[in-house]
Amino acid sequence: MDNRSLILSRALDLWSERGYDAVGVQEIVESAGITKPTLYHYFGSKRGLLDALIDERSAGLRNALGKAAEYRGDLVVTLEAVVRAYFDFARSNGPYYRMQLAFWFAPEHSDGHQAILARNAGQHQALELLFEAAANDHGNMRGRHRAYAATFLGMINTYIGLHLNGFASLDDQLVYQAVHQFMHGIYS
């Protein structure tokens, strides 16, 4: 593993375990077995390291979500594809997903929250566009795309959080259950 990849890996491990603010540059470089000038050479600063980590690690989810969220006339099939994209990504990138969830709920002006803000806004936008497109076939959805996107993503993130803490398995049954609950409510 080259120095750049090693630094990214060690930073992810530390930040996913303890949070961005609790880990200093010195701890990252000691964990990676490199010097501060090496970290600064690659990333410029701790925040530069954070931005690079998020850019690289979020690309897979962004690409998978872009494909999965394309509405093609069947809302249930599309929502199942979206849930699978998130679940697949979370299973393969557990520490990153935990970190990005923590950053999303961090204080508004914190570096972690600011760094993840644009990536999460992109996820919301993809889901909003999905629900706007589906409203053409489901008129009762018109004008509710933001609420649906937030609710759907919140549900997905809750199931992923349960998985990350050992309380759920991100399998096909949970994909079906999540979409069914979302589409039909808790009484169905």
Side-chain angles (χ1 to χ4, degrees):
M1 183 179 296
D2 64 31
N3 279 343
R4 186 178 188 284
S5 299
L6 182 62
I7 296 165
L8 288 165
S9 177
R10 295 297 186 256
L12 174 60
D13 291 343
L14 292 166
W15 290 336
S16 69
E17 290 173 10
R18 297 202 337 263
Y20 179 80
D21 292 329
V23 177
V25 169
Q26 186 63 40
E27 188 173 359
I28 295 168
V29 299
E30 287 174 3
S31 176
I34 52 106
T35 63
K36 282 184 182 181
T38 302
L39 183 143
Y40 295 135
H41 166 75
Y42 287 109
F43 305 104
S45 66
K46 180 181 173 185
R47 175 60 192 265
L49 171 58
L50 177 61
D51 290 335
L53 177 64
I54 291 171
D55 284 343
E56 288 184 20
R57 296 295 174 112
S58 66
L61 179 58
R62 184 176 50 253
N63 294 338
L65 181 59
K67 294 173 187 165
E70 285 183 34
Y71 179 68
R72 293 186 179 96
D74 189 328
L75 186 56
V76 170
V77 168
T78 305
L79 294 179
E80 286 176 349
V82 168
V83 173
R84 276 192 187 87
Y86 273 99
F87 284 8
D88 289 348
F89 182 81
R91 275 194 308 269
S92 300
N93 299 278
Y96 174 77
Y97 211 95
R98 179 182 301 280
M99 182 191 79
Q100 69 110 25
L101 281 176
F103 289 172
W104 180 242
F105 292 104
E108 179 181 7
H109 297 292
S110 68
D111 280 341
H113 183 79
Q114 291 300 311
I116 206 71
L117 191 60
R119 282 66 165 202
N120 282 5
Q123 292 176 40
H124 277 270
Q125 183 179 23
L127 295 176
E128 286 178 25
L129 292 171
L130 158 63
F131 288 115
E132 282 180 342
N136 292 328
D137 294 333
H138 305 278
N140 61 332
M141 295 176 65
R142 234 176 225 79
R144 299 178 183 175
H145 56 281
R146 281 197 179 105
Y148 287 155
T151 302
F152 192 58
L153 185 53
M155 178 193 65
I156 291 168
N157 283 333
T158 298
Y159 281 128
I160 291 171
L162 289 170
H163 166 76
L164 293 172
N165 290 310
F167 297 110
S169 180
L170 302 178
D171 56 20
D172 285 338
Q173 182 176 344
L174 189 56
V175 169
Y176 173 82
Q177 178 183 333
V179 172
H180 189 76
Q181 285 176 327
F182 181 78
M183 292 295 296
H184 304 290
I186 62 172
Y187 293 114
S188 57

